[in-house]
Amino acid sequence: QNKNELLNQSPTSKYLYDIAILELTEPIGVGSSKYAQQILENDALMEKAVKEVGGTLYIYIKHAANTNENKKGYALESISSIYQQLWDCMVLHNNLSLNCVVNANILDSGFISRSELYQLNNLQAIYTIVKEDNIPQNINVEFPECKAFPQTSKLDGAEIYFFEAQCTNVPMYKKVALGGTFDQIHNGHKKLLVLAASICSDIITIGITGDVMLKTKKNAHLISSFSMRSESLQNFINLIKPNQKLNMVELADPFGPTITDSTIEAIVVSSETVPGALKINSLRLEKGMSPLAILVTRRSNASTLSSTFLRGR
C-alpha cells in the first residue's frame, strides 16, 4: 500500500497513519555528543509521529543492554516523562484525540513485549532510528530518517552537556552566551537564565532579537520593545544572582557576538536550537576561534512555554 491509499482508507484521513509504533532509545554516555544526539533524536521522532498518526500510537522505550534494562524505577520514571512530553506534543500539533500507550521492558511486569507489539493487527508504521531484524516483512512499516542534527562528527571539539542528566558534572565558565526574543519573560526563559547563571563566573552575554528579525514573528505587534525586554531580563537575574554581570546585545542576525567574540566560552540552548549552536561553532572554527561548549536543556512544555503561545492567548 502506498501513502495515498492509506490516507483514503484511514478513518482519521488527515493523518498519514492510524496505528503505529514509536520506538525511543534510552540515551547512554552522559555528557557525550552521542548522549545529546540520542535525546534529540527521540524528541524529533516523537514530534514526527504525533504529527502523522491519528489513531493509536504505541510507544516502546528501548533500554540499553547491561544498564537500566531491568530497573523498574528507572523504567517507570521514563514512562511518566514520556507521557508528559507526548501530551505537550499533542497540544502543540492539535492532535488531542491521539491515543498514546507507553510501554517499556520491566522485569517480571508481564507487560506486552516489543515482539508482540510488532504483531499488532492493522499496524501500519514503526518510527525508529535503528531497523530491527525481527520486524515482520508482511506489514506496512516505515523507517523515517529523523536526525535532530547532522552527523555526530559535527560536534567534535566541543564539550556538550545535558542539564537534565543529574549525574552530569557541568563546569563553570567565565563568559556564557544565550539568545532569544525574551518577550513576556515566562518559565521557559527563566529556566534558561537560571542555568546560564549557574555556570557563569563572570559575564553573561544575552542576545536579544532586534526589530529587523521580529518582522516575521507571529503577532509581532504585541512584542515589547528591546529596552523593556532588556529590563525584564535584568530584573529577573537580580532576583536569583544580584551580582551577575550582563551584556545585553540587540541582535540583527541569528549569531551576534558568538561569532565575533573569541572570549565567550559556552552557550546555553534548548534542545530544538542545538542546530543553531552547531552553526555558530562551525563559523567560529572558520575564523580560527575555539568552539563553544554547548549546554542543552530540553524544552519541555513547548506549547505553553512559548512567547508565541502567550501572545496568542
Side-chain angles (χ1 to χ4, degrees):
Q1 295 176 319
N2 61 39
K3 292 180 181 179
N4 289 331
E5 290 172 337
L6 282 172
L7 285 171
N8 291 333
Q9 292 179 7
S10 172
T12 50
S13 58
K14 71 182 254 189
Y15 298 101
L16 185 58
Y17 300 112
D18 187 48
I19 299 176
I21 293 172
L22 166 62
E23 294 186 340
L24 303 177
T25 305
E26 172 205 344
I28 57 175
V30 174
S32 68
S33 59
K34 181 179 180 181
Y35 179 88
Q37 173 141 351
Q38 287 172 329
I39 286 184
L40 299 185
E41 284 174 347
N42 282 346
D43 288 353
L45 269 179
M46 182 186 295
E47 183 168 359
K48 183 173 177 65
V50 168
K51 286 194 292 187
E52 295 181 354
V53 180
T56 299
L57 180 62
Y58 296 89
I59 299 90
Y60 189 85
I61 304 170
K62 299 186 292 183
H63 294 301
N66 302 319
T67 55
N68 295 300
E69 188 172 13
N70 291 320
K71 291 186 178 179
K72 189 171 184 177
Y74 182 91
L76 292 176
E77 191 281 330
S78 297
I79 290 172
S80 173
S81 174
I82 294 301
Y83 269 121
Q84 290 175 309
Q85 286 180 261
L86 282 164
W87 178 252
D88 186 56
C89 266
M90 289 160 64
V91 172
L92 185 62
H93 297 293
N94 194 27
N95 190 6
L96 297 182
S97 63
L98 180 64
N99 178 28
C100 296
V101 182
V102 185
N103 189 12
N105 181 15
I106 302 178
L107 184 65
D108 298 328
S109 66
F111 283 5
I112 187 171
S113 68
R114 189 177 175 199
S115 60
E116 288 173 318
L117 283 175
Y118 288 166
Q119 303 301 322
L120 287 170
N121 291 332
N122 302 319
L123 177 64
Q124 295 169 304
I126 297 179
Y127 292 81
T128 187
I129 293 295
V130 179
K131 181 176 180 178
E132 300 291 340
D133 294 335
N134 62 335
I135 293 177
Q137 298 299 311
N138 61 341
I139 59 175
N140 181 36
V141 179
E142 180 175 317
F143 302 91
E145 289 291 329
C146 196
K147 302 295 184 182
F149 47 79
Q151 296 299 314
T152 308
S153 61
K154 295 289 185 181
L155 289 172
D156 289 351
E159 300 170 318
I160 184 161
Y161 299 93
F162 226 89
F163 281 110
E164 274 75 9
Q166 294 180 1
C167 55
T168 302
N169 183 22
V170 182
M172 294 291 290
Y173 299 92
K174 287 186 176 180
K175 295 188 177 182
V176 176
L178 70 157
T181 303
F182 297 108
D183 182 41
Q184 303 184 53
I185 302 298
H186 55 65
N187 285 354
H189 296 139
K190 293 173 183 177
K191 181 178 178 180
L192 282 174
L193 292 165
V194 169
L195 296 177
S198 73
I199 51 99
C200 182
S201 62
D202 187 4
I203 187 168
I204 300 175
T205 294
I206 304 180
I208 305 172
T209 309
D211 293 338
V212 174
M213 292 182 65
L214 289 176
K215 290 180 179 179
T216 59
K217 278 275 190 181
K218 189 175 180 180
N219 291 322
H221 64 286
L222 299 177
I223 298 176
S224 303
S225 67
F226 172 81
S227 60
M228 291 179 66
R229 287 179 282 146
S230 299
E231 183 179 357
S232 295
L233 288 168
Q234 182 71 68
N235 289 340
F236 175 73
I237 289 293
N238 286 342
L239 295 175
I240 58 169
K241 194 175 179 181
N243 296 323
Q244 177 65 62
K245 291 187 287 186
L246 298 178
N247 175 30
M248 308 284 195
V249 179
E250 186 169 1
L251 295 178
D253 61 69
F255 311 115
T258 58
I259 61 170
T260 57
D261 186 348
S262 62
T263 64
I264 296 176
E265 301 172 321
I267 186 168
V268 175
V269 297
S270 52
S271 55
E272 80 279 7
T273 57
V274 167
L278 297 175
K279 178 63 176 178
I280 286 170
N281 273 348
S282 175
L283 294 173
R284 285 175 68 91
L285 290 171
E286 289 178 7
K287 297 183 176 187
M289 293 187 285
S290 299
L292 299 176
I294 302 173
L295 297 105
V296 186
T297 181
R298 174 180 278 128
R299 178 174 159 175
S300 57
N301 302 108
S303 59
T304 51
L305 289 190
S306 157
S307 295
T308 300
F309 172 85
L310 293 175
R311 284 192 295 272
R313 297 286 285 187

